[in-house]
Amino acid sequence: MTERIWEDLLSERDKQVITAAGYDKEGASSWESRGLGENPLVLVIDMQRLIVGDDIPILEAVEEYRTAMGEVAWSAIDHIEPFLAFARDRGLRVVYSRVVPSSYDDPNHPDLDIVDPVAPEADETVIDKTYASVFFDTELDDLLRDGDHDSLIVVGNSTSGCVRATVVDATQYGYGVVLPQECLFDRIEASHKVGLLDMWMKYAEVLETAEVRDYVDSLVSA
C-alpha cells in the first residue's frame, strides 16, 4: 500500500472529506483521473544544470543558481536514474523536456544541459519549452498520438510547477498519468506534498516507485 507522504499535512476533517467524497478510491468525479494506461511513455521534466545544481545543501546550491535545488534534486536522481534504466530495459519510450528561459540567448548554454546521471540517450527526444507545461506550444501531444501512447509516467521537477502544469494538461488531453513519488521533487517540501496531494485527488495516480515498476512489469508480461 502506497505511503501517502502528505498525510502529516491533513487535519482530521480533511481526511474525513477525502474519504466521504470518494477521492481515496476514485479520484476526480468529473473525469477518469486514476486510469493506468496500456502503452505509457516516460516523461522526464527539466533535469537541467541550472535547476539541479551540485549535490550540496539547497541553501548553498542557490548561491550559484537561484533555481538550483542541490541535494533535494540529487536525492530524487538516486531514484530517477535506476528507474529510467528499468523503463528502457522494459522497452518504454523515454522523452525529455528542457526549459529554455527567455533570459538565455543561447539555447545551447551549458546551464541548460540535462545532468549526466539522467541524460537522454542518443536516440531519445528532447522537447524544448518556454513555459511550465510540456504540452504548451510543443510537439508532445503529436508525439504521444503518433506513438499510440495512452498515458505518461512523469518524473522530474518541480512537483508544484512544471510537473503539475503538465499533469493537468495531460488529463485534459485525455491521457492517464502515473507519478512515482520518489522520482519527483520541489524546492519547498510543503509545495511538494501539497502538489502530490492535489494531483492524486484530481489528475493522476501517485504510487511508490516500486509499485510503478510492478505496473510496468504487468504490461510487459501481459
Side-chain angles (χ1 to χ4, degrees):
M1 183 176 180
T2 306
E3 178 186 356
R4 305 297 184 193
I5 65 172
W6 54 79
E7 287 287 326
D8 62 325
L9 301 180
L10 300 177
S11 68
E12 190 56 39
R13 192 193 74 167
D14 290 337
K15 295 175 184 178
Q16 292 173 358
V17 169
I18 288 170
T19 300
Y23 285 105
D24 56 334
K25 299 190 182 302
E26 300 182 54
S29 61
S30 300
W31 51 80
E32 176 56 66
S33 64
R34 298 271 175 81
L36 298 180
E38 297 180 358
N39 186 21
L41 176 149
V42 178
L43 180 62
V44 185
I45 297 183
D46 301 355
M47 295 299 297
Q48 297 159 257
R49 172 70 182 170
L50 81 165
I51 297 170
V52 172
D54 293 327
D55 190 2
I56 54 178
I58 187 170
L59 288 174
E60 296 177 24
V62 297
E63 293 179 6
E64 181 177 7
Y65 301 104
R66 64 185 296 266
T67 52
M69 300 189 220
E71 64 185 3
V72 174
W74 286 94
S75 293
I77 287 172
D78 287 343
H79 296 278
I80 297 172
E81 182 179 8
F83 180 75
L84 294 180
F86 163 83
R88 291 178 179 118
D89 183 64
R90 299 305 189 274
L92 269 62
R93 185 175 184 183
V94 179
V95 170
Y96 289 73
S97 76
R98 201 178 67 123
V99 63
V100 181
S102 57
S103 57
Y104 279 81
D105 296 328
D106 179 9
N108 298 312
H109 194 287
D111 288 355
L112 306 179
D113 289 346
I114 296 165
V115 296
D116 287 341
V118 294
E121 297 191 344
D123 60 343
E124 291 175 340
T125 300
V126 179
I127 297 172
D128 283 352
K129 65 187 180 75
T130 305
Y131 293 98
S133 174
V134 186
F135 282 93
F136 181 77
D137 200 25
T138 75
E139 68 271 30
L140 179 58
D141 184 47
D142 290 338
L143 183 153
L144 287 161
R145 296 191 188 282
D146 289 346
D148 291 325
H149 298 289
D150 57 2
S151 54
L152 299 94
I153 300 171
V154 178
V155 304
N157 78 104
S158 64
T159 312
S160 63
C162 296
V163 170
R164 188 181 190 281
T166 301
V167 168
V168 172
D169 279 354
T171 300
Q172 293 175 147
Y173 275 94
Y175 299 105
V177 181
V178 179
L179 301 174
Q181 62 185 15
E182 298 93 339
C183 296
L184 299 159
F185 61 97
D186 202 308
R187 60 185 49 80
I188 303 298
E189 184 178 9
S191 298
H192 177 60
K193 290 182 177 181
V194 171
L196 286 176
L197 167 63
D198 283 346
M199 289 186 285
W200 170 74
M201 287 182 64
K202 303 166 188 172
Y203 306 111
E205 183 67 83
V206 179
L207 299 171
E208 294 176 2
T209 303
E211 295 174 304
V212 179
R213 286 172 176 255
D214 289 342
Y215 154 59
V216 172
D217 277 336
S218 74
L219 298 176
V220 174
S221 62

